[in-house]
Structures are given as C-alpha cells and as structure tokens.
Amino acid sequence: MDKFEPKIITFACNWCTSAGADLAGTSRMEYLPNSINIRVMCSSRVDPQHILWAFRKGADGVFLGGCHPGDCHYIDGNYKTLRRIKMLQKLIQDFGIEPDRLRLEWVSAAEGKKFVEVINEFTEHVRKLGPLNIPADLSSHEAS
Amino acid sequence: MNMKRTGVFVCHCGINIAGTVDVKKVAAEAAAQDSVAVAEDYIYMCSDPGQKKIQEAIREHNLESVVVACCSPTLHETTFRNACKAAGINPFQCEIANIREQCSWVHKDKAEATKKAIKITKSIVEKAKRNESLVPLSVPVTKKALVIGGGIAGIQAALDIANGGHPVILVEKNPSIGGHMIQLSETYPTLDCSQCIMTPKMVEVSKHPNIRLMTYSEVKEISGYVGNFKVKILKKPTYVDPGVCTLCDDCTDICPVVVENDFDLGLTGRKAIYIPFPQAIPATYTLDDVNCPGLLPIACGKCADVCKPGAINYDMKPEIVEEEIGAVIVATGYDLYDMYNMAEYGFGKIPDVVNGLQFERLLSASGPTMGEVLRPSDHKVPKEIVFIQCSGSRDPELHNAYCSKICCMYTAKHAMLYKHKVHDGQPYIFYIDIRSGGKNYEEFVQRATEEDDVIYLRGKVSRVFQDNGVIKVWGVDTLTGKNIEIDADMVVLAMAMRPAVGVQDVLKILKIATDKDGFLAEAHPKLRPLESVTAGMYLAGASQAPKDIPEAVAQASGAASKVLALFSADELMHEPIVATVDEDVCSACKLCIPLCPYNARIYDVEKDIVIVNEILCEGCGSCVAACPSSASQQRNFTDDQIFAMVDTILEGE
C-alpha cells in the first residue's frame, strides 16, 4: 500500500510565518509538500470555524503560524490565537478529532529553518495519526 | 455566485519556477475553473512585455480580476496591482499566488510541485473571484518626528529632519546628549578629535528652532500608526532649573556623595549632583536621586543651601509629556558587552585590564588623566601594553557569534595613539583577522604597523592573570605555531558592541522586533535596511548592528530622508482591508470591542450595533474571528473567501 499522504492546511500570518516560509524558499530549503498555505494578515483572523471547516472538508491536519509572543504586528493578536487554539484543541476531541491534528507554532520572518522543521515534523506526526475519519453524521451535515 | 471574469497569468521566472513546476499545466488547470476567462504563461511576467500581456488580456477578455502565479507578494504585488490599475481594473482585484518561495523553491519533485502550484493558484482564483474593489483610505500626516537616542545617529537624524523644515522631538535618557561618541578621544582613520567634531553638532541641536530636546527622558507609551502616532514621554526630574543655574559648581563642591562616574566608565568618581562633562548639552546640573542621601532637606540639603541663584528645587516632580508625531527614528545605540563575562581575561580582578571605552577616556584630553596614558592601579606609564581583539565577539560557544566590526580599527587607533604618547612603549595586538574594509581604513592599519611599530600577533589569548604584580598574557601565534607569553603592564580588551543596556524596555513599547543578538531587526536585510517592519518607524546607528561613526551618520541621514519623504505628502494612504459590520446582523454583543488593540471598535448607541472606525482599523481581523454571528467580516479576507480557499486546496484526491 502507498504511504498515506496527509492533507494539511496551514494558516500563515502575513508578517511572520508567511515571511518565514518565503525565507525558507529564498534559502532553497526543502520540505514535505503536503501542506498548503493560506495567508491571512494575522493569525488572529483565523476563526475556529475555518479550522473546523477544514477538518470537515478533508484536512488531516491544520497548522497555524503566528509571530512570537511580543512580536505580533498587531500588538497582541497572537495571544488571542493562542487562547482560541487551546480551547479548540479541547473542543475538537468531542468531535472525535485528536487535539494534535491542530498545531500552533510561532515562526518569525527570520525563521525559515524553523518553518521547514515544524512543517516536516507536523506532517510526519499527522501521517502517524493516519487519515482523519470524521463520523459520517458530522461530515455530511451542511453548514448553513 | 457571481461569475467574475478572472485572468490567470503563470510566470516561469526563467527556470526558478518552470524548473520544478509544469507552468503550462498550471495554466491549463486554472483555465478549467469556472470563473477563469483566460490563463496564460510567460517567461517573466514582471518584465515590461509580461505586464503588457496582462494588460492586453484585461482589455481583450474584459477581465474583472487578475491572478498572477509567481513569486512572493512581498516582491511584485505592487508591480502587478499597478499594471492592473493602468489597464482599468481596481488594484485590489489583483492577487498573487505564491508558487515560487512557497512551492518551486522548496520542492524538488516536479509532479508534486506542479500539483501544489495548481492548488495554490486555484485557491487564489477562488479568493480573487470574491474580492471587492477597494479604495485606499486617506489619512492626514502629523509632520513632526520623534528621534529616540541622542548619540551621533540620533543627532544627525534630528538635524536633517529639522533642517528639512519639520519639528523634531529628540529624546535622550541621559542628562546630556552626545552618546558614546563624546567619550571618544580621536577617531580613525583621520585621528581628528572626537569631541571637536561632535560638540558643534550638539550645539546645533540645542539652538535649532525646530528641535525640542528632551534629555533625562524616556518614551513610556506609543499608540497609533504611521503618520499619526501618539507618544507619552516621561521627563525625569533633574531638581535643577537650567534657566536659573549659573554653572558655578558650588553644589558639586559641597555634595558629600561620591559615586562611580559613568562618563569615565568608573575610572573616576562624581558627586550626586553633577554635570556629566564640561560640554554637556543642556549645560546644567542633574541631581541623581538614586544616590542623593535624601531629597528631604533634613537629610542633607547642602547643595540647595549653597546655591546662590536658588536653582535647586527638591520638589521637582516627574512629568509626562504627550505629543502627536508622524514618524519615529530609533537610534538607541550600543553599550559594550559586559566585561564581567570575560573572566578569562581578568577583568574585575586585575585593575589594569580595561575595556576599549575606558582606554578612550585615558587617551582623551578631557579624560581623568588629561590624555596621559597612565594605568589605573598605580598611575604609572605602561611600557608593554597588550590589546586583545574580538573580546566577546566571534566566539559562538562562549560569547557572541557576530563580528563587532569596528574593533579592528579602533584597536589599531588605540595602539597608534598610545605609541604617539609613550614613544618607548611597545603595543602588541592579538587578532583573529584584520577587517579593515572602508575608505582609507587598510592604509590606517598599515600605518600602525609600519610607522608606529605595533606588533600584530595572529592568535587568541587563552588567559590573562596576575603573577607578582605582573600581568601575564598567555596566547598563541598561529602563524609561527609558537606559544606567546607577554609580561604586560596593561591590557586593553576590544569588547564587542551590543545593543544598549535597557533598550529592550523601549523596544517592547515600540513593538520593534530584534534579531537573535538583540539588535533592531530591519524590514529587509538588503533592500530596506533603514526601516523597521512597522510603517513609520525607522532605524539608525549602532542599535541596528555594530557600526562606526561614518556608517551611523549615513544611516541616520538615510532614515531622516525616509521621514522627509513621508512628510512630503499631506495625506497617507491607509490599507482598506479593514473590518466591516453587517448592520442587520450585529446584535451588539460587544465581544469585538475589547479585542481591538487600536480602539477602532465603537458601540453606536443610536443604531445599537458596534461599528468600525476604518481609519483606526489596521486590518488584523481579530474581531472578525470572534464575531459569533459572522456579522463582521474583513474586506477581501472574508469567511466565504477562506472557506472557498480551503475547499479548493482539499478537493480532489
């Protein structure tokens, strides 16, 4: 059987993580291709709905990258993200989703190497967890 | 769903993209999307013919939005948005799919990279399909600048802006401006006297009608955004009224308290009421309330008793000054790496081991020895003197990894000046490499060896210790492979520069990021070295990286010209990707109000909803994510757009 290739959505903030991902590219670092970035201005723009939607639509993992504490371009958006993600990690367990399919990391604009490391590590971790099988009654329900 | 007509343009970027991504396939797959009217590929989309291709397609296919699949939006988003604007479509209808930095450059497998590039491009097409046409909001500019730090960089920046016709507030935490440059003796490579070239600039600052000088002051709070900052500055009490003080020095004579003099780096003492140095600006005394036995006249009060004009006022209180400014230049400078970290070189144990700045004071005509080279322990003239370069720098295991850049040059200068004063003395310099890049710098080092008999020893010093009153310096000459032992009378450590002590506090207030060593992070290491990531905040001097005087001055003038360019417009354009509120849906739960870091969320009593002040909104989207009824959206980052992007990325196998 072919190796399971997890699908991962990465929400990357414009100022730190997306710039860090750009730096990984500029530095020609290589990493696993499973994750695709959605650039938002701040990690705090990411609504828990977006994450749940991604899981429902077939993502095996969702990754959020923000600026380091104290470095948020919008002063303290990353703290709001941290609180939301901690709560959501508890909540998704009730839906039968392992909390570690959702990961938040701080990746600065200077941390191309860290972006590569955390994406590779998270991809391998989700690969180990296997495909996400959401109960059919949850995944078939259409959001209004 | 509206069927907006979108054009997709896939760039090869030579082989940067086309080498790992099948660009034709990306264009073909994009063309299959329902809203895509045309999809093309081209070798360099950013080139003039590339941009023309987009503009022709806009006209020919009557496009309403454009997606360019190319490099990072940080590079060419502006290029393509302007091209779209010129061809008649709103620039906010143009989006970039980053398939280079975030795809072709990080993957090697062509099939995988192509698959990913297709998904990235298609997801951006879905976003573009739902973009609104936006018009930047215009905001007024407060044409007044704040310069933090009164060293040479801050002084130069303040003078340039002030000479450009705009008011400047220059804030310095110490009682006088002048920074480290005023402590120096002579400067390389010309050996002109540092104070002689610094004091005219200090005087100019103090007399300039456009400069408000605030010494002994600190920035405590800043809010707002480019062009419209509000700042609170704490003016600490000096307890002396400079308007009344006649500089007679009677207060200093009578003051019973002696503490270490920072200006001479502890080589001398000063009183609790003091003037930092004779040419201090402002020329006035400061009562240091940490060391004064008590501001209550009962405890001492001698200085006020002897002050004939009555300039001393123990009741002076700290004052908060609020100002509105349009731009900030951060020139907080450097301090030397703490020598107590260098136990291997005996600092703190051996009184005749000094650092470079202390040696500057010993060489200086205004210093504690009036320029005579005397060692601190017994005031004898040192006949054998050892200089150790890279003390605390280029040592990733124990100290700092970076090169402190200026130490090779100032050590050559130290050895040379020493030799000019002690003709029969012998200077030795231990070095790893000599880095003398700069105009006339290499010639200067050559002059030290050829004319002033400085002995350069290539190698590191392992240990400095005292033995029967003699300072033993053990090192190695890596060119001959021999161990070296020198009995020295004095040792000077060329300590690494580090960001100024306490600078972290002000950086936290300003929200300016630092690099791994604590130096200020620039917006781009090559192309935007004068700017911080925050719009309207600029960097100057050694706060950004180790720099010598000409470099600090150049950067300060550069930063000042950035500020002048900002002030040349009456209005600034503000990003319109702000939060919106659907008035019919908002239930006025007010969850969004405390989340906004800019106070842009306001409860409208009449409508009973929460509205957004678009000028204050910076567009983070934090409030939008918290809105329980989705009444709030962020322009061009709506929930629908994010859902559609997620769907596109996840569709297929």
Side-chain angles (χ1 to χ4, degrees):
Chain A
M1 201 184 118
D2 280 351
K3 199 160 67 163
F4 162 59
E5 290 298 343
K7 289 184 182 179
I8 293 166
I9 296 270
T10 291
F11 292 100
C13 84
N14 181 61
W15 306 97
C16 292
T17 307
S18 190
D22 278 354
L23 181 63
T26 312
S27 317
R28 309 295 201 279
M29 295 170 179
E30 200 188 346
Y31 53 87
L32 297 169
N34 303 55
S35 145
I36 291 180
N37 289 358
I38 293 180
R39 184 175 63 97
V40 285
M41 295 312 285
C42 178
S43 62
S44 71
R45 171 64 190 97
V46 180
D47 189 324
Q49 287 187 83
H50 303 152
I51 296 164
L52 295 174
W53 181 280
F55 282 128
R56 197 162 72 82
K57 291 294 183 134
D60 302 297
V62 176
F63 185 93
L64 262 85
C67 308
H68 283 267
D71 288 349
C72 177
H73 187 77
Y74 302 102
I75 303 176
D76 55 4
N78 48 0
Y79 290 103
K80 292 162 197 161
T81 308
L82 179 65
R83 296 200 292 262
R84 287 171 187 158
I85 296 307
K86 290 267 179 218
M87 201 176 101
L88 198 58
Q89 278 170 334
K90 288 186 178 164
L91 191 72
I92 56 175
Q93 294 180 61
D94 293 343
F95 299 145
I97 303 171
E98 296 90 334
D100 42 346
R101 288 187 187 271
L102 173 58
R103 170 85 67 93
L104 171 66
E105 290 278 356
W106 312 131
V107 181
S108 83
E111 292 177 328
K113 190 162 171 270
K114 182 174 180 188
F115 183 81
V116 169
E117 285 166 2
V118 294
I119 289 293
N120 278 341
E121 197 274 318
F122 183 62
T123 307
E124 288 304 346
H125 186 75
V126 176
R127 200 196 303 279
K128 271 194 209 110
L129 290 174
L132 173 62
N133 292 312
I134 300 184
D137 56 331
L138 278 178
S139 60
S140 62
H141 177 75
E142 269 303 317
S144 55
Chain B
M1 172 47 59
N2 71 53
M3 289 307 284
K4 190 188 270 177
R5 299 173 61 79
T6 305
V8 177
F9 302 90
V10 186
C11 181
H12 300 201
C13 194
I15 57 158
N16 280 309
I17 294 171
T20 32
V21 167
D22 182 344
V23 284
K24 297 229 180 278
K25 195 171 172 194
V26 175
E29 290 273 345
Q33 270 173 295
D34 55 3
S35 63
V36 175
V38 56
E40 293 175 1
D41 62 280
Y42 187 64
I43 183 154
Y44 288 109
M45 277 297 168
C46 61
S47 68
D48 220 41
Q51 293 180 54
K52 284 214 174 73
K53 208 173 168 64
I54 296 173
Q55 292 174 325
E56 280 161 17
I58 290 172
R59 292 188 197 101
E60 190 185 329
H61 298 276
N62 202 16
L63 298 179
E64 293 160 289
S65 73
V66 164
V67 170
V68 189
C70 56
C71 53
S72 166
T74 54
L75 297 168
H76 276 304
E77 188 179 70
T78 313
T79 310
F80 293 120
R81 285 192 165 175
N82 286 339
C84 286
K85 193 177 170 190
I89 65 174
N90 183 284
F92 290 88
Q93 296 291 0
C94 171
E95 288 284 349
I96 304 295
N98 183 345
I99 61 166
R100 192 179 75 175
E101 281 81 349
Q102 299 188 2
C103 186
S104 74
W105 274 352
V106 288
H107 304 307
K108 289 213 173 78
D109 183 287
K110 195 160 183 173
E112 285 292 347
T114 304
K115 197 171 107 187
K116 183 163 171 177
I118 290 167
K119 292 201 167 210
I120 293 171
T121 308
K122 286 170 87 171
S123 73
I124 298 293
V125 168
E126 289 301 318
K127 178 177 194 287
K129 189 158 119 182
R130 292 162 176 84
N131 268 359
E132 274 181 81
S133 292
L134 302 175
V135 180
L137 307 157
S138 82
V139 288
V141 185
T142 307
K143 296 183 182 181
K144 186 192 271 189
L146 170 71
V147 177
I148 305 173
I152 182 59
I155 285 175
Q156 185 64 46
L159 285 173
D160 284 356
I161 298 168
N163 288 334
H166 300 291
V168 180
I169 304 163
L170 177 58
V171 173
E172 165 60 47
K173 68 174 179 190
N174 290 318
S176 171
I177 54 169
H180 283 306
M181 185 173 161
I182 197 71
Q183 295 174 301
L184 307 182
S185 54
E186 274 84 32
T187 54
Y188 63 80
T190 47
L191 294 187
D192 41 355
C193 151
S194 187
Q195 299 200 334
C196 313
I197 56 175
M198 184 60 165
T199 46
K201 287 200 176 280
M202 291 164 60
V203 172
E204 199 183 341
V205 164
S206 71
K207 306 285 181 211
H208 205 294
N210 281 341
I211 297 180
R212 174 173 181 191
L213 180 59
M214 293 182 68
T215 50
Y216 215 42
S217 301
E218 287 170 21
V219 173
K220 283 290 165 195
E221 207 179 302
I222 193 158
S223 57
Y225 50 94
V226 56
N228 295 277
F229 295 106
K230 283 197 178 71
V231 62
K232 286 187 184 165
I233 303 161
L234 170 73
K235 198 161 172 32
K236 293 178 278 183
T238 60
Y239 305 99
V240 178
D241 182 346
V244 178
C245 173
T246 57
L247 296 170
C248 69
D249 215 32
D250 286 352
C251 55
T252 300
D253 284 343
I254 197 124
C255 179
V257 179
V258 180
V259 293
E260 252 186 31
N261 184 354
D262 310 332
F263 187 72
D264 285 332
L265 296 110
L267 292 173
T268 58
R270 66 158 169 82
K271 298 296 183 68
I273 186 161
Y274 68 108
I275 184 160
F277 51 95
Q279 310 96 317
I281 301 255
T284 184
Y285 288 80
T286 300
L287 175 61
D288 148 18
D289 55 12
V290 176
N291 292 303
C292 177
L295 293 167
L296 287 172
I298 284 175
C300 177
K302 289 191 171 74
C303 53
D305 289 345
V306 297
C307 183
K308 288 187 199 84
I312 296 171
N313 172 12
Y314 297 129
D315 296 327
M316 208 180 264
K317 293 276 177 288
E319 193 189 335
I320 293 279
V321 177
E322 289 186 38
E323 285 279 355
E324 291 189 0
I325 48 158
V328 183
I329 292 182
V330 188
T332 45
Y334 74 96
D335 277 311
L336 292 184
Y337 183 59
D338 195 338
M339 288 181 51
Y340 291 101
N341 293 332
M342 305 288 304
E344 63 267 44
Y345 292 163
F347 183 78
K349 281 183 294 193
I350 310 170
D352 296 325
V353 175
V354 299
N355 69 28
L357 267 178
Q358 288 177 317
F359 198 63
E360 291 283 346
R361 295 308 301 145
L362 290 174
L363 291 168
S364 170
S366 75
T369 57
M370 311 297 272
E372 216 180 323
V373 181
L374 301 175
R375 60 185 202 169
S377 65
D378 54 8
H379 299 185
K380 282 191 182 146
V381 177
K383 297 291 182 186
E384 303 266 312
I385 185 163
V386 174
F387 296 88
I388 305 175
Q389 292 195 174
C390 304
S391 293
S393 54
R394 301 185 67 191
D395 189 344
E397 277 97 41
L398 296 173
H399 304 290
N400 300 300
Y402 58 86
C403 166
S404 181
K405 196 174 182 183
I406 69 163
C407 318
C408 289
M409 292 307 297
Y410 81 63
T411 300
K413 177 193 77 176
H414 282 168
M416 202 185 268
L417 291 175
Y418 163 78
K419 190 71 182 174
H420 293 175
K421 289 171 194 266
V422 184
H423 302 300
D424 58 343
Q426 181 57 59
Y428 302 90
I429 297 179
F430 279 94
Y431 71 101
I432 305 178
D433 299 291
I434 296 297
R435 295 179 169 177
S436 54
K439 195 170 177 176
N440 296 322
Y441 285 12
E442 176 59 19
E443 294 91 320
F444 184 79
V445 175
Q446 287 301 326
R447 188 178 143 196
T449 56
E450 286 163 14
E451 292 178 21
D452 292 307
D453 303 324
V454 178
I455 296 177
Y456 274 88
L457 298 161
R458 189 182 190 280
K460 286 196 87 163
V461 169
S462 61
R463 207 175 150 210
V464 176
F465 62 101
Q466 215 159 12
D467 185 29
N468 286 329
V470 179
I471 306 173
K472 298 271 184 196
V473 179
W474 284 1
V476 64
D477 182 346
T478 53
L479 295 180
T480 60
K482 288 201 174 102
N483 288 334
I484 305 270
E485 185 181 328
I486 298 172
D487 289 349
D489 298 319
M490 193 170 174
V491 173
V492 181
L493 306 183
M495 298 301 295
M497 289 169 110
R498 47 152 291 182
V501 174
V503 72
Q504 282 305 330
D505 298 338
V506 68
L507 297 183
K508 283 279 171 215
I509 293 165
L510 297 170
K511 298 277 167 205
I512 288 186
T514 54
D515 64 16
K516 65 178 184 7
D517 299 308
F519 290 105
L520 305 186
E522 57 286 317
H524 189 283
K526 287 176 278 287
L527 302 177
R528 294 172 67 194
L530 310 173
E531 295 155 74
S532 78
V533 177
T534 310
M537 292 197 188
Y538 304 89
L539 319 174
S543 56
Q544 185 240 345
K547 277 192 192 71
D548 60 15
I549 296 163
E551 286 177 322
V553 170
Q555 198 191 15
S557 284
S561 80
K562 289 270 170 200
V563 171
L564 291 172
L566 180 74
F567 289 177
S568 66
D570 291 324
E571 290 191 318
L572 284 179
M573 292 303 151
H574 183 66
E575 277 284 321
I577 46 167
V578 294
T580 61
V581 177
D582 183 335
E583 299 193 359
D584 296 334
V585 180
C586 175
S587 63
C589 72
K590 301 186 190 135
L591 272 179
C592 50
I593 295 178
L595 283 176
C596 179
Y598 307 103
N599 299 323
R601 284 290 194 163
I602 304 141
Y603 175 60
D604 184 327
V605 185
E606 269 180 28
K607 289 184 179 164
D608 191 29
I609 57 163
V610 179
I611 56 169
V612 177
N613 179 333
E614 295 195 343
I615 297 295
L616 293 180
C617 176
E618 286 286 289
C620 64
S622 181
C623 58
V624 180
C627 182
S629 57
S630 298
S632 190
Q633 291 296 331
Q634 184 179 5
R635 292 193 198 282
N636 290 356
F637 285 92
T638 63
D639 287 339
D640 280 348
Q641 286 179 301
I642 294 171
F643 290 144
M645 289 173 82
V646 170
D647 289 351
T648 313
I649 292 169
L650 294 174
E651 76 190 3
E653 36 66 69

